[in-house]
Structures are given as C-alpha cells and as structure tokens.
Amino acid sequence: MTAWRDVEEAVPRFARTVRALFDARKHQTIATVRADGGPRISGIETAFEGGELTFGSMPGSRKGADLLREPRFALHSATVDPVDGAEAEWPGEAKIAGRAVPAGPITDGPEGDLFRADITEVVHTHLDPEATMLVVEWWTPDGGLRKAERA
C-alpha cells in the first residue's frame, strides 16, 4: 500500500505542490466506477492527516457503494483558469489516483464511511515559466517522478 507519506518522502517538493492545490479549496471531484461499469463524478472533501490521504462518503451514498464494490478512484483538485497576461503564474491542477481502502466510520463530524487512499499515481499539470508549454509531471510508486512537455 502506498500512503501519502510515501509520496512526501519520495518527492517532497512535488508532494508539497500537489497538496497545496488540494488544500487551496474545500471541494474537489472524485471519479468512481458505477455498478454498470460507467464513470461517476461526485464532489468530495479530502484530508491529508498523519501521512494519509482520506475522504468520506455519507451513509447510503452511491459514491460510497461504488468504492466498496470497486475501489478504484481518481481525485481532481479544484481548478482555476490562468489569468490573461499572467499565465505563467497559474498554479495548475493536481490529480491523485488509486484504490480506496475502507477505514471504518467517520468519527468526527457527520456520519459516514471513511476511506484511506492507496495511491497509484499523482499528477501535477501546469505551464512552464514562459507559459509556452504545458508541463505534466507524474509520480508512481514503481516509476518515480517523470515529466512531459507539450507545446
């Protein structure tokens, strides 16, 4: 299992950047797999605590049922548009994919089910310093940190 602490230890600067993008807004988006195999997109709140990435679902929610049946997920940070004339200052967007591991009931706040992330991929998409190319950096437990640039 790959916890968030493993990402922080392997690539500290990259992990700080990704976490900042998730922490910048309260709400993110999660993709799960529906019972019929199709995708489901839902709003979600995430937490980085004690070296773990966690998230929850309300009792009886479709999102929670999806994760209990098929644990694969993809999280997407909230996004903002680059500002015209200041594109190089755009922080970009972040994505985290993996498998949701049931972690029991939520004990703080509203009732629900808590999940821990077993992380398979972390991505940061942003612009180069001149704002002329899209830069995609991604980390996997097996492949480490990689980077691609596209004009």
Side-chain angles (χ1 to χ4, degrees), residues 31-41 66 69-70 72:
T32 59
V33 181
R34 295 170 14 155
D36 66 4
R40 182 187 317 275
I41 300 291
D66 289 348
R69 184 189 61 264
E70 166 55 74
R72 291 179 297 163

Side-chain angles (χ1 to χ4, degrees), residues 15-144:
R16 279 191 302 275
T17 300
V18 168
R19 181 171 175 175
L21 288 166
F22 273 92
D23 287 345
R25 302 279 191 271
K26 183 176 183 176
H27 297 107
Q28 293 87 37
T29 305
I30 189 169
T32 59
V33 181
R34 295 170 14 155
D36 66 4
R40 182 187 317 275
I41 300 291
S42 305
I44 197 160
E45 296 175 22
T46 58
F48 294 87
E49 296 175 346
E52 299 281 353
L53 168 59
T54 62
F55 46 87
S57 69
M58 297 186 317
S61 74
R62 296 291 80 219
K63 171 177 46 188
D66 289 348
L67 292 169
L68 291 170
R69 184 189 61 264
E70 166 55 74
R72 291 179 297 163
F73 71 87
L75 286 168
H76 196 289
S77 67
T79 58
V80 295
D81 293 333
V83 175
D84 289 340
E87 290 86 353
E89 296 173 23
W90 179 58
E93 58 187 33
K95 302 172 200 118
I96 300 173
R99 288 175 294 281
V101 177
I106 293 173
T107 57
D108 183 27
E111 194 177 316
D113 298 310
L114 184 66
F115 294 91
R116 287 188 339 238
D118 176 9
I119 298 168
T120 57
E121 183 179 54
V122 181
V123 179
H124 177 218
T125 303
H126 57 97
L127 297 174
D128 71 341
E130 295 77 31
T132 58
M133 294 199 312
L134 184 67
V135 179
V136 180
E137 296 178 278
W138 71 99
W139 178 89
T140 63
D142 295 331

